[in-house]
């Protein structure tokens, strides 16, 4: 680790992993309700379980991005973080706000707007924390070396903050409300977060493969342009059935179809860089997660997204379990995996180990979680197809159709339990006692490789 202030990332990762555990626990509890409808009904209704599940997911994803930024920006800018104290103040604000929100949800205190259920004072706290963060990171970059990786990361982080401001606008007209509501979380996941993901991945490729920065940054330019061209208007596929003008049906269909292109480019980019680098970096687990990220994101966001993004298909599939299949797989591939990849890369440095540790456990967690997510996606997809036929074609009412999907929901619950085991394994491998695994090839690795201490 070259800069002392990179250590700021460590407490962010710890808090993020605590929320990660909470997210998967509440996800499994919510999945249980699908097969046992009265499960916890008097204590924690399904709406609260889902609320904690989704809010914890979004919150720890953001903390993961902040951790990645505090780690990689000093190396990119070649200087320390502008104000370490402000970084810790930011974490304190976010942690207090996050804990207060979750406790409030458990007691039924929330705003009632999906994904944006946080009370107003928590939203204000998030804005204050975001301003602190943007000041800290922007000043660090502006006063230091300017790189493409840091620039694209900054654009993604600023975009995240700016689009969050729509969370404060809550018009009485439901159609208008939905129009702005999609601009927060869904512009995040289909556009500005993609920029963050691409820049973090590019940083990891520089470190793990040893390929020239110039080559990787040219790729990053192209991928970022593809994301911006396709993602902003592509989010129009959410406007098909909310009362927006009809032109969104063809605009959304065309541009959201194009969203597959940058996802495929990310797969090609990552595998090409690993092949071109051709060296054995000791952090095999980080490389596995990095490659797993682009593959899972391509299938979850790209293939499963394309399956129901055309308006004439979406007319039947919108809001069914096919949407749930796409949402779970896309988010896991694009944002859960890139965070876990970066955590895996950063932690040996943050814990002052010369070599990666607990790699076998870490890689087991990957091979538990990733296939389980694929299995969950398949079961929800089949459930969605049956639901479309019964509900949208045969005209069966919603609850009657749901009763025909029990088998798929049991399989989804089983997959969710395996994801939870994998998540706990990852957390133990990352934060628990370190076991050094030094296969023969590691003995050949010099202590300093490609400009970084390994």
């Amino acid at each position: 680790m070259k800069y002392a202030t990179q250590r700021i990332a460590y407490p962010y990762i710890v808090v993020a992993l605590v929320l990660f555990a909470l997210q998967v626990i509440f996800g499994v509890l919510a999945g249980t309700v699908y097969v046992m409808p009265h499960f916890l009904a008097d204590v924690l209704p399904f709406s609260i379980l889902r609320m904690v599940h989704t809010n914890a997911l979004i919150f720890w994803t953001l903390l993961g991005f902040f951790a990645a930024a505090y780690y990689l920006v000093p190396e990119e800018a070649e200087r320390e973080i502008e104000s370490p104290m402000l970084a810790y103040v930011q974490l304190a604000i976010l942690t207090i706000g996050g804990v207060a929100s979750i406790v409030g949800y458990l007691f039924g205190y929330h705003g009632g707007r999906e994904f944006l259920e946080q009370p107003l004072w928590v939203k204000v706290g998030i804005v204050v924390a975001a301003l602190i963060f943007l000041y800290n990171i922007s000043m660090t970059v502006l006063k230091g070396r300017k790189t493409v990786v840091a620039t694209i990361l900054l654009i993604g982080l600023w975009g995240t903050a700016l689009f969050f401001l729509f969370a404060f606008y809550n018009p009485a007209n439901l159609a208008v409300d939905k129009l702005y509501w999609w601009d927060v979380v869904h512009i995040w996941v289909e556009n500005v977060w993609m920029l963050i993901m691409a820049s973090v991945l590019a940083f990891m490729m520089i470190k793990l493969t040893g390929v020239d920065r110039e080559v990787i940054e040219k790729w990053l330019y192209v991928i970022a342009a593809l994301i911006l061209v396709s993602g902003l208007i592509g989010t129009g596929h959410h406007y098909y059935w909310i009362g927006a003008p009809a032109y969104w049906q063809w605009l959304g269909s065309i541009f959201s179809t194009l969203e597959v292109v940058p996802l495929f480019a990310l797969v090609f980019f990552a595998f090409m860089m690993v092949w071109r680098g051709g060296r054995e970096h000791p952090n095999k687990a980080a490389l596995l997660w990095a490659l797993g990220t682009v593959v899972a994101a391509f299938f979850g966001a790209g293939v499963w997204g394309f399956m129901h993004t055309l308006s004439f298909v979406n007319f039947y599939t919108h809001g069914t379990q096919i949407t749930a299949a796409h949402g779970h797989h896309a988010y896991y591939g694009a944002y859960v995996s890139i965070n876990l990849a970066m955590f895996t890369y950063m932690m040996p440095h943050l814990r002052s180990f010369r070599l990666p540790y607990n790699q076998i456990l870490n890689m087991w967690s990957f091979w538990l979680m990733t296939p389980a997510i694929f299995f969950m996606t398949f079961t929800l997809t089949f459930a969605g197809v049956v639901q479309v036929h019964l509900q949208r074609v045969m005209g069966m009412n919603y609850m009657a159709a749901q009763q025909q999907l029990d088998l798929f929901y049991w399989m989804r619950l089983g997959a969710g339990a395996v994801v939870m085991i994998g998540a706990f394994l990852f957390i133990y491998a990352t934060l628990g006692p370190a076991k050094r695994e030094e296969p023969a090839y590691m003995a050949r690795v010099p202590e300093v490789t490609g400009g970084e201490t390994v």
Side-chain angles (χ1 to χ4, degrees), residues 227-284:
I227 291 169
L228 289 170
V229 167
S230 62
L232 274 175
I233 302 178
T235 199
H237 63 253
H238 298 298
Y239 299 161
Y240 294 160
W241 322 117
I242 62 170
Y247 58 74
W248 279 110
Q249 292 188 20
W250 62 267
L251 268 182
S253 295
I254 293 170
F255 281 89
S256 61
T257 298
L258 294 176
E259 287 184 66
V260 180
V261 178
L263 290 162
F264 180 76
L266 281 166
V267 176
F268 191 78
F269 160 68
F271 280 87
M272 176 65 80
M273 292 306 105
V274 171
W275 173 78
R276 185 167 176 166
R279 76 177 189 189
E280 287 187 330
H281 193 281
N283 201 330
K284 298 291 183 187

Side-chain angles (χ1 to χ4, degrees), residues 21-92:
L22 202 62
Q23 174 234 320
V24 293
I25 290 171
F26 276 77
V28 170
L29 292 176
T32 306
V33 175
Y34 275 86
V35 293
M36 292 185 278
H38 300 293
F39 179 70
L40 293 179
D42 296 329
V43 184
L44 286 173
F46 175 79
S47 60
I48 302 298
L49 294 174
R50 185 178 184 275
M51 202 180 295
V52 176
H53 173 61
T54 55
N55 276 243
L57 172 62
I58 294 170
F59 211 67
W60 86 257
T61 302
L62 286 169
L63 288 173
F65 290 160
F66 295 150
Y70 280 125
Y71 185 90
L72 76 82
V73 164
E75 288 198 16
E76 291 296 301
E78 295 185 336
R79 66 185 297 268
E80 300 285 1
I81 290 292
E82 178 75 6
S83 171
M85 185 192 72
L86 283 178
Y88 291 115
V89 170
Q90 175 203 345
L91 179 61

Side-chain angles (χ1 to χ4, degrees), residues 280-319:
E280 287 187 330
H281 193 281
N283 201 330
K284 298 291 183 187
L287 196 58
L288 175 66
W289 276 108
L291 294 177
T293 292
V294 292
V295 173
F298 172 70
F299 281 101
V303 176
W304 257 260
F306 176 72
M307 280 170 58
H308 68 138
T309 200
L310 299 174
S311 61
F312 57 86
V313 176
N314 192 270
F315 178 77
Y316 292 96
T317 61
H318 189 87

Side-chain angles (χ1 to χ4, degrees), residues 89-171:
V89 170
Q90 175 203 345
L91 179 61
I93 293 172
L94 290 172
T95 304
I96 292 169
V99 170
S101 294
I102 290 171
V103 172
Y105 299 160
L106 297 178
F107 288 95
Y109 181 64
H110 55 81
R113 202 176 179 206
E114 189 180 14
F115 302 138
L116 303 174
E117 295 94 345
Q118 309 84 23
L120 180 62
W121 71 269
V122 173
K123 288 189 175 78
V124 173
I126 291 172
V127 170
V128 172
L131 290 173
I132 291 172
F133 173 72
L134 292 173
Y135 166 79
N136 226 358
I137 292 297
S138 300
M139 293 306 294
T140 305
V141 172
L142 290 173
K143 292 182 179 178
R145 181 180 63 155
K146 280 77 175 175
T147 68
V148 178
V149 172
T151 303
I152 301 294
L153 179 68
L154 266 185
I155 294 171
L157 294 169
W158 272 93
T160 302
L162 290 174
F163 281 105
F164 181 72
L165 296 179
F166 287 109
F168 289 89
Y169 183 52
N170 192 1

Side-chain angles (χ1 to χ4, degrees), residues 373-452:
I373 286 289
F374 269 89
F375 185 76
M376 183 187 296
T377 303
F378 282 120
T379 58
L380 288 175
T381 302
F382 288 127
V385 171
V386 173
Q387 183 184 3
V388 167
H389 178 72
L390 295 178
Q391 194 177 324
R392 306 274 164 87
V393 178
M394 303 294 291
M396 190 179 286
N397 70 54
Y398 176 81
M399 289 310 297
Q402 290 296 310
Q403 288 174 351
Q404 306 303 314
L405 306 179
D406 274 359
L407 175 63
F408 300 110
Y409 290 149
W410 275 109
M411 290 194 287
R412 189 266 295 272
L413 179 60
V418 175
V419 170
M420 185 173 68
I421 293 168
F424 289 158
L425 197 58
F426 181 90
I427 294 168
Y428 179 81
T430 305
L431 300 179
K435 180 183 177 184
R436 310 289 178 84
E437 294 122 4
E438 299 188 21
Y441 72 84
M442 285 189 179
R444 303 195 301 272
V445 177
E447 188 162 352
V448 176
T449 304
E452 67 165 336

Side-chain angles (χ1 to χ4, degrees), residues 309-341:
T309 200
L310 299 174
S311 61
F312 57 86
V313 176
N314 192 270
F315 178 77
Y316 292 96
T317 61
H318 189 87
T320 66
Q321 293 302 321
I322 295 175
T323 306
H326 162 58
H328 280 80
H329 200 152
Y331 202 103
Y332 173 82
Y335 304 120
V336 170
S337 295
I338 192 64
N339 267 324
L340 299 187

